[in-house]
Amino acid sequence: MSSSPGRLTMDTSQTPLDILLVGAAGLVGQGVLRACLESPAVGRIVSLQRHRHDPGHPRVEVLLLEDFSQADTLQPALEDLDACFYCAGATPVGTPEHEYRRVTVDLTMAVARTFAAANPQGTFLYVSGAHADPRSGVMPLRVKGEAEQALAALPVRTVSLRPAGVRPVAGTHTRHDALKPLYAVAGPLMRLGAAIAPSLVTDNLSVGKAMIALAAMPDPPASVTCRQIRRLAAG
């Protein structure tokens, strides 16, 4: 098996992965959950939620925590997991920087530290964004970069997925009212963009498939681009 940038390969001989999924109700998380439910490589799925959103599937265990900053109280419940698929976050549209940083960095790190303490041999996979950089002059990219930097310092394997545009597959949607008109208009354009510019657009189901492939690697890369996400999803 190899996890070099040129060839990313998952180990299909492994026993099914037990996954902590954070943000299953969001646009990205909906696709990731579907990928997990459809994959024979995934066994147990623990869905960490602030507000109950029952996916109605017997393989999904719902774990409620209204304030993710108190994630350490759940450490015993998070033991014996192979990976965390972290898809939660705030939309940068209309969100003040201090609140965006609290959700993107502080709450993410609270969950990540608890997962790392409970599963030191596990892998924490974080949905970041293209061009995330703590030195960026663009607020969302700077804050995402800060989150990536903090995650990389944890005593656990971490992988940042850096998609650019993420389109919802059929049956999934954004929960943010401010973004619904955007996706309604941009959806067809994003499908076209995915076909002609794979480095710029992927879909939420592909993000999930890529996460599963990365979680199965003993030595995954620290980050993957939108093009690599699509390649992993395609197998």
Side-chain angles (χ1 to χ4, degrees):
M1 178 192 323
S2 170
S3 60
S4 63
R7 183 173 177 81
L8 303 174
T9 308
M10 69 180 288
D11 185 352
T12 56
S13 67
Q14 289 184 344
T15 56
L17 299 163
D18 292 334
I19 302 297
L20 173 65
L21 174 56
V22 187
L27 183 147
V28 174
Q30 292 170 52
V32 172
L33 175 59
R34 181 181 296 184
C36 289
L37 290 173
E38 293 177 353
S39 174
V42 175
R44 178 183 173 212
I45 304 168
V46 179
S47 177
L48 178 61
Q49 305 174 6
R50 287 181 298 160
H51 307 289
R52 179 170 289 279
H53 171 73
D54 190 350
H57 197 286
R59 287 174 56 201
V60 181
E61 305 170 22
V62 174
L63 190 61
L64 289 176
L65 182 65
E66 185 173 344
D67 183 358
F68 281 6
S69 68
Q70 304 299 314
D72 59 338
T73 62
L74 296 179
Q75 182 170 326
L78 301 186
E79 293 176 352
D80 301 320
L81 296 171
D82 297 297
C84 175
F85 294 172
Y86 199 94
C87 310
T91 173
V93 178
T95 304
E97 181 171 348
H98 72 276
E99 177 63 11
Y100 190 77
R101 177 173 282 104
R102 185 186 74 85
V103 173
T104 304
V105 180
D106 298 346
L107 299 187
T108 301
M109 290 305 300
V111 175
R113 291 190 189 99
T114 302
F115 175 83
N119 305 282
Q121 303 305 314
T123 305
F124 190 93
L125 298 104
Y126 173 64
V127 179
S128 182
H131 308 298
D133 187 338
R135 299 163 298 180
S136 176
V138 180
M139 185 277 287
L141 302 183
R142 179 172 64 253
V143 176
K144 286 279 192 181
E146 292 172 6
E148 287 191 12
Q149 192 172 60
L151 288 169
L154 290 174
V156 68
R157 289 186 299 273
T158 61
V159 181
S160 293
L161 289 87
R162 295 175 173 174
V166 178
R167 67 176 183 86
V169 297
T172 65
H173 60 278
T174 180
R175 295 179 304 150
H176 298 288
D177 290 338
L179 297 180
K180 287 178 181 178
L182 173 64
Y183 278 101
V185 173
L189 295 177
M190 293 181 78
R191 283 193 291 273
L192 177 62
I196 64 176
S199 63
L200 297 179
V201 182
T202 187
D203 60 71
N204 52 359
L205 183 63
S206 293
V207 173
K209 291 179 177 180
M211 284 181 141
I212 295 167
L214 290 161
M217 297 179 186
D219 186 25
S223 64
V224 290
T225 64
C226 196
R227 185 184 295 274
Q228 289 173 316
I229 289 168
R230 289 170 59 99
R231 188 181 303 152
L232 284 162

